Amino acid sequence: MAERAKALLVDDRKDNLLALEAILQGLPVTAVAVESGEAALKQLLTDDFAVILLDAQMPNMDGFETAGHIKRRERTRHVPILFLTAADRDAQLALRGYAVGAVDYLTKPFDPWVLRAKVSIFVELWTKTQQLKAQAEATRERESQWQRLTETVDEAARVLRGGGDEAAAEALALLEKARWGN
């Protein structure tokens, strides 16, 4: 069974985290809630996420600084970040969010159905990406198996070429026929 997608929820207020978890309830995603940018960066060291919901305004390390760290890491630079903030609709804050790599910037109060729809899209994209990675790995494994089979057939043909009787010649013909897929 494929791994379940995860969403990293980052907010310094527990009530906001609980609200986000409730909004995501029923989606095919596991919510992982943390209360600081530092905790988010630690979580990202061990887990892979389909999406990050990040509060822009937090004490110590704010969401913008946290996003900057996330986007600088090779492992996490492609994880989509949705900024959530209680700040009024200040265009400069939104631009700052996009500048550090956010894919969207939502101000509170936001429509929970819109947030669910956005998260659903990123979960679906993550799931498709995981499926493609699994298919690519299966293809690599099949190619490796074919390579081993080809090497074995080549070796058998080499050994048979050393013999001189009629049976060896017939076996060689069959192996070469198999080798070329006829």
Side-chain angles (χ1 to χ4, degrees):
M1 180 100 186
E3 182 183 354
R4 185 174 165 97
K6 295 178 186 172
L8 182 59
L9 317 179
V10 188
D11 198 305
D12 59 311
R13 295 185 49 186
K14 286 185 186 215
D15 56 335
N16 287 343
L17 291 171
L18 288 171
L20 289 173
E21 288 173 337
I23 290 169
L24 300 181
Q25 197 80 28
L27 293 180
V29 65
T30 300
V32 177
V34 297
E35 295 182 28
S36 69
E38 295 89 348
L41 294 175
K42 286 180 185 173
Q43 194 70 47
L44 286 162
L45 289 173
T46 58
D47 287 329
D48 293 322
F49 291 91
V51 64
I52 300 169
L53 305 182
L54 181 58
D55 183 21
Q57 310 217 327
M58 296 183 291
N60 300 321
M61 183 186 302
D62 69 13
F64 302 109
E65 186 179 353
T66 303
H69 288 293
I70 292 168
K71 293 301 181 179
R72 280 193 290 276
R73 291 180 179 173
E74 181 63 33
R75 175 183 167 130
T76 58
R77 75 173 34 134
H78 299 294
V79 180
I81 298 172
L82 298 171
F83 270 113
L84 308 174
T85 184
D88 60 5
R89 298 185 185 275
D90 182 349
Q92 292 302 329
L93 283 179
L95 287 174
R96 187 174 169 205
Y98 292 123
V100 295
V103 296
D104 209 348
Y105 190 94
L106 302 174
T107 55
K108 299 172 190 170
F110 51 81
D111 184 336
W113 293 104
V114 169
L115 181 60
R116 282 178 62 88
K118 290 175 186 280
V119 168
S120 291
I121 293 293
F122 290 115
V123 166
E124 184 176 335
L125 288 171
W126 183 89
T127 301
K128 296 291 185 200
T129 300
Q130 298 311 304
Q131 290 170 349
L132 287 172
K133 286 179 182 177
Q135 288 174 352
E137 181 58 34
T139 299
R140 280 191 295 278
E141 179 57 33
R142 278 192 303 277
E143 287 172 355
S144 177
Q145 289 171 346
W146 277 109
Q147 181 66 31
R148 289 191 302 272
L149 175 62
T150 300
E151 290 168 0
T152 302
V153 168
D154 288 346
E155 178 63 18
R158 185 188 66 72
V159 169
L160 288 172
R161 279 190 192 100
D165 64 28
E166 195 175 305
E170 186 179 338
L172 177 58
L174 289 171
L175 279 171
E176 286 182 339
K177 187 176 180 180
R179 168 75 169 95
W180 301 112
N182 294 331

